[in-house]
Amino acid sequence: MMGGSLKLYYDLMSQPSRALYVFLSKNGIPFQRCPVALRKFEQKSPEYIANVNRFGKVPCVVNNDFRLAESVAIVRYICREYAVPAHWYPTNNSLQQARIDEYLSYQHLNIRADVSLYFFCTWLNPLMGKEVDREQADRLRRRLDKGLNFFEQVLLENGAKPFLTGDQLTYADLSAACEIEQAKIAGYNPCTERPHLSAWMAAVREQTNPFYDEAHKYVYRLAPEHIPTPTVPCDDDD
Amino acid sequence: MMGGSLKLYYDLMSQPSRALYVFLSKNGIPFQRCPVALRKFEQKSPEYIANVNRFGKVPCVVNNDFRLAESVAIVRYICREYAVPAHWYPTNNSLQQARIDEYLSYQHLNIRADVSLYFFCTWLNPLMGKEVDREQADRLRRRLDKGLNFFEQVLLENGAKPFLTGDQLTYADLSAACEIEQAKIAGYNPCTERPHLSAWMAAVREQTNPFYDEAHKYVYRLAPEHIPTPTVPCDDDD
């Protein structure tokens, strides 16, 4: 237990940063907020790379002298070092833990990649002055459609499972929801014609609020008008 | 301990399949070999998806009624359920475990993606009748160069660290080595002008042989002549 000294380096524009921010906040784990502005490439500064995260990414935690990157590794570490309700990542249930690990490994080259590639192609690249390749955007949109359909139909079993690995919220759900929210910024509503995915996202949000909304305030603000989002004040400087 | 009934579904052309095959073999964990021919798309067959892995991928294990995909999740599960020497994934050392988790999470969108994208573009796509896009191939080659340079210079600290997370071989090393070997099939020698990476790969191989060579027999055979590889007989049908 080294709560007082835990520093979280994050940007609320980063999906895994948001998941970790919500996870720490919801579980009452005290942490020092260390915002890193991706829009200013602060994560690539020599100081950040030398002193915080050699990968030049967010999120990262620093606990006394121990620096750890990668949200999934961080959550496992937090669950060992702090008092966290067992449902998040039940270390006393090998099969359930395996099922959560399976999703948290699977996501990188699937849901995370599906959403991020579409987001980069249609939102971030144009912001950086690069023209949108329509053919590529269409291809990535179909890939995202397919990934989210699989998520709803197979992983959530069309609503038969309220959460990804069963009846209880785990870190896999929080991680997945924060990834999927990102698509809204790019004008893609993941909930459209996906009632089970919508119900699941609403449940993840409901069980982690007010922190979920706090972490998503910029997502909500940046999403275009045709995508309904809650109104959350954005008045701080992180 | 449910050793006798463990089934491994794998293809030795798949990097994480090889890592898991070597890991189980080296640790004397009995398993039933269930080869899945990626070249025949057997991993996409309705039977495989319904009865083995809903993701339609390899590797996967089935232990009695429990099915688990994703090599990283599988290794953690095996380390909990079977007697595995602690150095592979020391569950009694939180910081060391965190460092291994960090690499195993990081790898997906970095070393694994770096190697796979180059391999797909320059070797697999042409095999499937698709022309190589030279511009894309050059870009992916530069990405792979950069990823492997980072691996050698930062992760291995230019040889100051014999293994990825310190003095001992862990699953992170085995996973990484099996990914990096794949580049050889595409005619890219990861060891060229990287003495520390070469020494590390030789150490991973040496500590896990004869299983490492057995798992890489097709890689060795498919690598073009200008890339030196050991001679290993390929006389079985997996």
Side-chain angles (χ1 to χ4, degrees), chain B residues 217-238:
Chain B
K217 58 191 174 184
Y218 299 117
V219 173
Y220 296 163
R221 192 170 57 175
L222 289 166
E225 273 197 9
H226 72 270
I227 297 183
T229 56
T231 304
V232 181
C234 296
D235 51 7
D236 60 357
D237 61 354
D238 60 6

Side-chain angles (χ1 to χ4, degrees), chain A residues 54-55 57 66-70 72-73 76-77 80-81 94-95 97-99 101-102 105-106 108-110 112 150 154-155, chain B residues 54-55 57 66-70 72-73 76-77 80-81 94-95 97-99 101-102 105-106 108-110 112 150 154-155:
Chain A
R54 64 203 190 289
F55 298 139
K57 300 185 187 205
F66 186 64
R67 304 168 194 171
L68 187 63
E70 295 293 324
V72 171
R76 288 201 187 91
Y77 165 74
R80 289 193 299 271
E81 301 289 334
S94 178
L95 300 195
Q97 195 181 336
R99 198 56 76 213
D101 281 346
E102 183 187 58
S105 182
Y106 165 81
H108 294 282
L109 293 169
N110 294 280
R112 176 162 172 69
F150 182 84
V154 180
L155 300 186
Chain B
R54 65 203 190 289
F55 298 139
K57 300 183 188 207
F66 186 63
R67 304 169 195 172
L68 187 63
E70 295 293 326
V72 171
R76 288 201 188 91
Y77 166 74
R80 289 192 300 271
E81 301 290 333
S94 178
L95 301 194
Q97 197 181 335
R99 196 57 75 212
D101 281 346
E102 183 186 58
S105 182
Y106 164 82
H108 294 281
L109 293 168
N110 294 280
R112 175 161 171 71
F150 182 84
V154 180
L155 300 186

